[in-house]
Amino acid sequence: MNITRREFLKLIGGGGAGAVIFSACGVPEEELYFQSPNKLPEDQVTGIDNWYATLGSNGEGLAIRIMEGRAKKVEGNTDYPVNTGSHSISSEAELQMLYHPDRIQAPLVRKEGTNRGAEKWEEISWTDAYKRIASQLDRLGNSKASIVSKPLRGRTGSVLSAFASEMGNKEIIFTAFDDSNVLSALQKITGSSNMPKFDIAHSDLLLNFGMDMFNSNHSEAMFGRLYGQFRDAPRGTMYQIESRLSLTATNADEWIYCKPGSQGLIASSIAYVLISKNMIKTDFAKKLNIQDLKQYSPKNVSTITGMSEEKIEYLAQKLSEAKHPLIIGGDEASANSNGTSSVEAIYALNVLMGNINKEGGIIINPDSPLDDLRGSRFEGNYKKTLDLVSNIKSGSVNSLFINDIDLNYYLPTSLDFKSALSKLELIVSFNSFVDDTSKYADIILPLNTQFESWGNDVPSIGPGYQVVGFQQPVVKSQFSHKGKYSGTKDLSDIIIELSDEIGVKNKYSGKKIKDILMEDAQVLWKLNRGSITAADFKSFWNGVLSRGGWWDINSKVNNNVQSNITNWPKVQTLKFSNVSGKDSFHLVPFRTKVGDGSFAKSPWLQGLTDPLTTIAWETWVEINYDLAKKMKIKEGDIIEISNSNNESIKAAAYPNPSVSPEVVTVPVGGGQESGSYTKNVGSNVYSILDVQLDDNIGTHAWAATKVKIRNTGNNIAIPKFEGRFEELKRDPHNHVIKITTSDSDDSDHH
Amino acid sequence: MKQSKWGMVVDLDKCNGCQACVVACQSENNIPLQKKSDYDENRVIQWIRVERYWEGSFPDVKAKFIPIMCQHCDEAPCEPVCPVYASYHNNEGLNVQVYNRCIGTRFCANNCPYQVRFFNFWEAEWPDSLKNQLNPDVTVRSRGIMEKCTFCVQKIRRTKRDAKVNGFEIEDGAREINPACVNSCNTEALIFGDMNNPESKISRIKAKEEKKDGRGYHLMEHYGTSPNVLYLKKVDNSKKSHSH
Ligand code: SF4
Ligand code: SF4
């Protein structure tokens, strides 16, 4: 067996010694003179701890500290190539998901005679639950069933897809922040269907169009690591172009405001300057016809993008001077009606700069070593979800299986999903919690949480070489004491058992997820290369579990990559709803500490302050400070925000200096109706988003809503950290944050 | 073995405000859940917090972050005011709080210029199931007790014990001994180590950055508290590079 015993492994095995009482060494001698000797648990080291490797739901490799069968602490797995030792807040919060007081402990059926949504449940056995579902489906017909799920990682996703295809291939993946158009643009640009690695660490100039790396679908810890290395000497320079000062934007060397949805035009304009001024000489540059790009000249796009001609030229200049320029984009830049065409133009800049598969550029990720398992992705299908809603309303879908996706929360009020739900004859929910959708279910099949489940994952953004992460249960299922007919289970095992009962068969039938994962591991073992090689399979299997996965740093894509683009992408014109007038604004929703809202259940994350506003436990609306003054809006004023359909939400005003007068921004995550830590917290901005689609591939243009705002005249004290501490006396020589420039001409600003 | 002296470096040019450190600390140290009412009553407890400072206004605006925790001052103003020696300095340079001595006068919090001491106005409460996660190595502080960052002294103790029992040397930067915030830090902005070991990473950074043209400074050093946390200045080239 060939496992390098690196730091992480030491961590895993390090606590194996027996319990020894620590005898107060390290306490100064004077200590003895006092009557109450220093005996804190901090000094009394007792008990044995062990660290086990697994994966987080965001794809991070984790090491979990276990004491007496309980999970105590999460840390990043230092070996795991995605996040190399760090971990993000949501990974830590998985602990609270595991021990959450709201968890469903056994299969639930709606009590006879009660209405859907009344939340009167009865515990039943797994056998009973499967039987009830099968007999209902017998009556309703498999062909009229639909399956909707959040994006799943690794083999669990395959198991659900196989089940869906047996049922007539009606699987719909929904995610509130969809990467589909970024993926499709990248596929065109790189010719590879894998999300590439963005080699931020080795880039000297990062031009980021709207991608909020630090509030991401992907591992935020991975982006944090890359960013930290980017700041090492020689220090890289980062420009962020977007309509909101995101957490990522505020860390850039410069945030450059642009009008919402105009990033594609700016990217094209930069391309125009680079070519017309002969600043670059790459093959793609030679191929392009300058006449096609003329419409994007800085002069032509400056007004519509809100960016000055000089700034566009300045950015082109900087790009041309950089050794390793890197251009990335997504999130807000991809979430308008022209999203796909915008991100195509943004990523085409990389081809123009000739940095595809080059150090500091866009590094192509190789295909997975398991040929039927591709990289996990945050691809949803908004269009199909809309069709689902109308199919339910028309009766062509009569039963619905919902896996851990709170559609009733995420879909805008205008779609009236709740009334669609009432038309269904059978609603089966797979979930660990009762959320705003599963509360309308007829049957809830309770899931194990992340740390109780088996799984694997091909990272959604790989490190440039092959990685297959392995997830193992690090603790026993919380409700295993309820016996094998009750308690919670892994999604894959439930699906396989259920399909057995329904009588649909596929290649996973009769297996357990653990066996399926072992088959994957067999394939990797036979490759006989990479981070773990072993003479026998058992050692290999133990190796992948204790190390958290398998990877091969030599499995890079080395050949010259041929881009599929020959012309400059045409950036489409923007479509917005018809809301105008001086009290009208562009609404930019954004993710914050609770992600897309799914981590709002964690009291740690609810109670954590938003880094920019320092607000916790509330939904706020950010508005330009000076404009707010003019509109007589004070902090804490309750603002009604309404869309073109006159649907509205209320949120507390937070005037701040970073917001454009054209924009208001509201975090997602508030306004959930169920849950101990979510109920009555804030309001739901998803509910007022327009149903505007991306023109090309039908993703949700979630940043394309226009709204009006109105001060209701009510005011609350916003729960926030700011102002919690008395401001320290400002002293011209002793600022709190001291600032310097790279060449050390000190200039403090506080 | 030579006596250790623990210290930390915070590189403000790397910190991106992700707050992984804050949550890691809450998880490791049994920090009470921060309820809405705690915010309303200004009784939020965060041993490490990330402060945000605005600079400029739209469109030329930025927020800058600084993580602040107990600075483990050599000349700690919180120590001499404690009538029962609950706040004292141990021989590894840590400012330690002895919970079972603390009588809750709050003199120390009053005297700490960094506002990193927190008083338990209420008994900390968790739903029963969440208690499973509590760290058995750390006291749950009861009502009336002062608490603050300990540099995760329990990890230092446990690792030293393990090193002694199993006969290994504690490596510089070992994750077993690093405070929880340091291990979680996404950008590697936080570095922890033994300042008495001249070979340690922290000693090398200190040697380089405390020089005249280095980036090192101590928070509010004019108070003469001699902190053991060294901040590295944030780099901002935007002012000199381009005006628009
Ligand atoms: S930072 Fe405050 S609590 Fe910590 S040692 Fe200094 S004075 Fe005491
Ligand atoms: S974890 Fe690191 S980068 Fe994140 S806020 Fe804390 S110090 Fe800053």
Side-chain angles (χ1 to χ4, degrees):
Chain A
M1 195 164 72
N2 177 17
I3 304 176
T4 353
R5 193 178 157 79
R6 292 174 46 183
E7 196 183 23
F8 162 68
L9 278 180
K10 268 187 265 159
L11 201 60
I12 293 208
V20 173
I21 304 291
F22 178 82
S23 56
C25 86
V27 177
E29 274 180 17
E30 305 87 293
E31 206 55 54
L32 305 171
Y33 300 135
F34 299 111
Q35 274 198 327
S36 68
N38 183 1
K39 265 194 192 142
L40 299 170
E42 283 77 351
D43 296 316
Q44 313 271 335
V45 181
T46 53
I48 299 170
D49 62 355
N50 268 306
W51 293 82
Y52 294 98
T54 190
L55 298 176
S57 59
N58 55 11
E60 286 172 3
L62 305 175
I64 318 297
R65 182 179 190 222
I66 306 293
M67 284 183 92
E68 314 221 324
R70 293 181 185 133
K72 298 293 177 187
K73 182 75 185 70
V74 171
E75 291 211 342
N77 175 346
T78 49
D79 265 9
Y80 199 65
V82 171
N83 50 308
T84 57
S86 61
H87 71 286
S88 34
I89 52 175
S90 60
S91 291
E92 192 83 48
E94 302 279 10
L95 288 171
Q96 292 195 321
M97 297 299 180
L98 169 65
Y99 294 123
H100 204 289
D102 292 350
R103 279 194 61 183
I104 305 172
Q105 311 192 4
L108 298 179
V109 65
R110 181 160 55 87
K111 263 202 182 133
E112 245 183 85
T114 64
N115 291 331
R116 279 190 182 148
E119 297 193 55
K120 297 268 186 279
W121 306 102
E122 205 176 303
E123 284 194 10
I124 52 174
S125 72
W126 282 99
T127 346
D128 190 8
Y130 294 148
K131 284 223 162 75
R132 286 178 195 233
I133 297 167
S135 80
Q136 288 283 330
L137 275 181
D138 243 7
R139 185 173 65 84
L140 299 167
N142 289 2
S143 64
K144 285 186 147 190
S146 228
I147 295 154
V148 54
S149 171
K150 67 175 183 185
L152 294 171
R153 290 182 179 274
R155 203 45 85 189
T156 310
S158 321
V159 171
L160 188 77
S161 296
F163 173 64
S165 91
E166 292 304 320
M167 298 282 287
N169 200 15
K170 291 178 302 295
E171 178 193 31
I172 298 161
I173 302 291
F174 181 89
T175 169
F177 290 86
D178 194 342
D179 277 349
S180 298
N181 46 14
V182 174
L183 274 156
S184 96
L186 279 164
Q187 179 154 8
K188 255 196 202 157
I189 302 294
T190 63
S192 156
S193 62
N194 304 320
M195 189 90 162
K197 169 188 174 181
F198 306 119
D199 196 7
I200 297 166
H202 301 107
S203 153
D204 56 347
L205 185 128
L206 177 62
L207 189 57
N208 183 350
F209 291 89
M211 190 190 277
D212 192 1
M213 306 184 284
F214 305 141
N215 285 294
S216 177
N217 283 338
H218 308 277
S219 162
E220 290 156 7
M222 167 193 73
F223 280 122
R225 272 286 194 267
L226 295 173
Y227 173 80
Q229 290 157 9
F230 177 76
R231 289 312 193 194
D232 277 333
R235 186 178 185 274
T237 306
M238 172 179 174
Y239 298 94
Q240 179 96 0
I241 301 168
E242 65 176 317
S243 63
R244 179 182 83 87
L245 183 88
S246 62
L247 181 59
T248 309
T250 202
N251 282 293
D253 293 85
E254 201 175 333
W255 166 52
I256 309 167
Y257 171 75
C258 71
K259 290 189 194 263
S262 69
Q263 282 97 334
L265 294 175
I266 296 168
S268 305
S269 192
I270 292 174
Y272 172 81
V273 176
L274 285 167
I275 296 169
S276 64
K277 295 203 169 165
N278 236 338
M279 289 166 151
I280 40 156
K281 309 221 163 19
T282 53
D283 288 350
F284 187 47
K286 285 181 207 145
K287 260 192 235 156
L288 289 175
N289 183 350
I290 190 73
Q291 292 309 322
D292 293 346
L293 280 160
K294 207 158 184 185
Q295 51 176 316
Y296 305 118
S297 72
K299 190 157 175 276
N300 285 348
V301 304
S302 165
T303 318
I304 175 166
T305 61
M307 193 183 284
S308 70
E309 293 174 44
E310 301 80 64
K311 197 94 226 182
I312 295 172
E313 278 162 12
Y314 169 78
L315 290 173
Q317 180 71 35
K318 287 280 160 195
L319 273 183
S320 72
E321 288 165 7
K323 265 208 196 94
H324 302 289
L326 173 61
I327 302 97
I328 62 175
D331 293 324
E332 187 251 23
S334 68
N336 278 287
S337 65
N338 65 358
T340 303
S341 63
S342 278
V343 274
E344 274 175 20
I346 290 164
Y347 285 102
L349 273 178
N350 289 294
V351 186
L352 196 60
M353 302 310 299
N355 67 356
I356 307 285
N357 226 19
K358 300 259 166 63
E359 184 186 323
I362 302 260
I363 309 286
I364 310 299
N365 267 308
D367 289 335
S368 139
L370 304 166
D371 29 300
D372 60 339
L373 197 71
R374 66 172 188 182
S376 303
R377 21 183 87 205
F378 289 88
E379 232 174 351
N381 200 318
Y382 196 70
K383 182 75 185 29
K384 273 197 191 171
T385 313
L386 299 183
D387 293 345
L388 171 72
V389 179
S390 47
N391 289 341
I392 297 173
K393 285 182 180 164
S394 74
S396 56
V397 167
N398 62 14
S399 53
L400 185 62
F401 291 80
I402 310 171
N403 171 44
D404 200 6
I405 182 82
D406 198 351
L407 277 188
N408 198 26
Y409 172 71
Y410 291 122
L411 293 177
T413 316
S414 59
L415 286 176
D416 201 7
F417 186 66
K418 211 185 268 183
S419 84
L421 283 177
S422 70
K423 295 237 158 53
L424 287 162
E425 302 215 29
L426 173 68
I427 304 173
V428 178
S429 165
F430 307 94
N431 213 318
S432 306
F433 299 93
V434 174
D435 62 20
D436 295 355
T437 307
S438 59
K439 80 173 184 195
Y440 294 103
D442 302 308
I443 293 182
I444 306 182
L445 303 178
L447 299 177
N448 279 338
T449 54
Q450 190 71 15
F451 292 160
E452 298 160 314
S453 308
W454 287 98
N456 62 4
D457 181 35
V458 177
S460 53
I461 298 187
Y465 49 87
Q466 293 176 327
V467 175
V468 183
F470 277 82
Q471 171 196 352
Q472 61 177 329
V474 293
V475 288
K476 258 207 309 211
S477 176
Q478 271 309 285
F479 309 108
S480 55
H481 62 271
K482 297 182 84 124
K484 71 173 186 174
Y485 297 108
S486 186
T488 57
K489 293 188 185 197
D490 282 19
L491 176 69
S492 310
D493 289 341
I494 299 174
I495 299 276
I496 294 167
E497 288 165 10
L498 180 63
S499 32
D500 224 28
E501 187 71 40
I502 300 172
V504 294
K505 290 259 177 292
N506 60 47
K507 62 175 172 179
Y508 301 118
S509 298
K511 293 179 183 162
K512 285 264 176 209
I513 179 68
K514 187 180 171 192
D515 307 326
I516 301 168
L517 297 177
M518 284 176 101
E519 287 169 13
D520 282 345
Q522 286 270 1
V523 176
L524 297 175
W525 173 55
K526 285 181 189 144
L527 292 176
N528 199 27
R529 61 177 166 91
S531 54
I532 301 164
T533 52
D536 60 304
F537 176 69
K538 197 164 170 252
S539 321
F540 181 83
W541 175 244
N542 288 338
V544 282
L545 292 187
S546 63
R547 239 180 138 181
W550 171 97
W551 44 89
D552 181 0
I553 52 169
N554 296 319
S555 60
K556 295 182 180 153
V557 176
N558 289 321
N559 48 337
N560 244 345
V561 177
Q562 288 303 315
S563 169
N564 291 346
I565 58 162
T566 46
N567 296 316
W568 192 259
K570 183 164 170 27
V571 181
Q572 273 143 353
T573 28
L574 278 167
K575 283 185 231 143
F576 293 120
S577 56
N578 198 12
V579 176
S580 54
K582 72 172 183 342
D583 53 350
S584 77
F585 293 87
H586 201 103
L587 170 69
V588 184
F590 62 98
R591 276 175 297 218
T592 169
K593 62 219 164 82
V594 297
D596 63 3
S598 46
F599 273 97
K601 291 177 197 83
S602 156
W604 278 334
L605 301 195
Q606 280 283 19
L608 186 67
T609 54
D610 168 64
L612 283 161
T613 60
T614 78
I615 298 172
W617 294 104
E618 192 50 87
T619 299
W620 65 94
V621 47
E622 291 177 42
I623 175 165
N624 178 276
Y625 197 82
D626 296 327
L627 184 69
K629 253 195 209 153
K630 267 193 217 138
M631 294 177 75
K632 299 204 165 48
I633 293 175
K634 304 181 302 302
E635 184 182 299
D637 282 356
I638 300 297
I639 305 295
E640 186 182 70
I641 310 163
S642 23
N643 64 12
S644 58
N645 270 338
N646 275 329
E647 289 139 2
S648 64
I649 57 163
K650 293 199 177 92
Y654 183 80
N656 86 35
S658 75
V659 188
S660 152
E662 301 169 313
V663 168
V664 291
T665 71
V666 180
V668 301
Q672 304 187 20
E673 288 165 14
S674 327
S676 304
Y677 301 103
T678 33
K679 202 174 176 170
N680 301 325
V681 177
S683 52
N684 178 8
V685 66
Y686 290 119
S687 70
I688 57 164
L689 297 185
D690 285 345
V691 183
Q692 174 79 55
L693 301 186
D694 175 300
D695 284 341
N696 286 64
I697 60 167
T699 52
H700 186 203
W702 51 260
T705 305
K706 286 209 168 178
V707 292
K708 283 189 179 260
I709 65 169
R710 182 181 73 85
N711 195 341
T712 62
N714 297 328
N715 182 283
I716 57 161
I718 297 187
K720 62 183 174 109
F721 211 56
E722 186 179 50
R724 162 78 176 78
F725 297 94
E726 213 181 290
E727 206 172 313
L728 300 157
K729 279 220 174 63
R730 299 216 173 193
D731 171 335
H733 303 292
N734 285 292
H735 303 292
V736 176
I737 298 183
K738 295 200 181 191
I739 292 170
T740 181
T741 53
S742 299
D743 48 18
S744 284
D745 58 336
D746 277 25
S747 56
D748 301 342
H749 291 286
H750 294 273
Chain B
M1 201 181 358
K2 200 167 168 222
Q3 191 63 264
S4 309
K5 182 166 199 257
W6 303 109
M8 197 183 282
V9 165
V10 182
D11 187 344
L12 296 183
D13 197 36
K14 289 194 170 188
C15 173
N16 68 0
C18 73
Q19 308 210 73
C21 49
V22 179
V23 181
C25 173
Q26 292 179 336
S27 171
E28 171 72 23
N29 289 306
N30 302 338
I31 310 269
L33 300 176
Q34 308 302 301
K35 301 185 294 299
K36 181 167 181 293
S37 55
D38 296 319
Y39 280 94
D40 293 341
E41 292 161 8
N42 274 355
R43 284 170 185 177
V44 173
I45 299 179
Q46 289 190 354
W47 286 8
I48 177 170
R49 64 174 181 267
V50 180
E51 289 195 359
R52 179 272 290 131
Y53 289 82
W54 288 118
E55 186 189 294
S57 61
F58 180 83
D60 193 6
V61 59
K62 233 180 256 178
K64 295 196 163 105
F65 301 109
I66 179 169
I68 297 182
M69 72 302 285
C70 170
Q71 309 286 304
H72 293 273
C73 312
D74 279 345
E75 308 294 338
C78 60
E79 287 166 15
V81 291
C82 180
V84 292
Y85 299 92
S87 171
Y88 83 102
H89 225 70
N90 81 2
N91 50 9
E92 295 179 3
L94 300 180
N95 167 260
V96 193
Q97 181 72 9
V98 186
Y99 304 127
N100 55 1
R101 281 189 197 151
C102 178
I103 54 168
T105 63
R106 297 193 274 147
F107 293 161
C108 55
N110 189 46
N111 237 26
C112 166
Y114 303 94
Q115 312 206 37
V116 292
R117 292 186 154 262
F118 302 88
F119 188 67
N120 285 279
F121 285 92
W122 306 109
E123 200 69 40
E125 277 171 5
W126 288 267
D128 281 346
S129 60
L130 282 178
K131 285 183 189 154
N132 285 310
Q133 182 271 327
L134 295 180
N135 185 354
D137 294 346
V138 177
T139 320
V140 170
R141 287 75 59 186
S142 50
R143 184 178 172 189
I145 302 292
M146 189 61 72
E147 63 180 71
K148 59 153 211 88
C149 161
T150 65
F151 271 174
C152 291
V153 63
Q154 69 280 4
K155 295 187 75 181
I156 300 176
R157 293 281 187 263
R158 179 177 277 274
T159 309
K160 286 200 158 180
R161 187 279 319 248
D162 280 353
K164 201 166 158 190
V165 172
N166 299 326
F168 64 83
E169 284 269 306
I170 302 167
E171 281 170 42
D172 176 45
R175 288 175 70 89
E176 295 91 323
I177 210 159
N178 277 344
C181 56
V182 174
N183 282 353
S184 75
C185 180
N186 284 197
T187 61
E188 296 179 283
L190 304 178
I191 294 145
F192 180 78
D194 181 359
M195 300 186 299
N196 277 353
N197 169 5
E199 295 306 312
S200 68
K201 189 169 177 189
I202 192 169
S203 298
R204 282 180 281 131
I205 295 175
K206 270 170 69 78
K208 174 168 178 263
E209 302 289 9
E210 279 183 336
K211 285 204 190 115
K212 199 179 162 292
D213 56 352
R215 288 197 289 134
Y217 73 99
H218 291 113
L219 204 54
M220 301 188 287
E221 46 204 336
H222 55 300
Y223 286 148
T225 47
S226 306
N228 283 312
V229 176
L230 181 71
Y231 286 86
L232 304 185
K233 289 178 189 169
K234 180 151 186 76
V235 177
D236 187 347
N237 292 324
S238 64
K239 295 290 175 292
K240 62 163 191 182
S241 58
H242 187 66
S243 57
H244 53 98

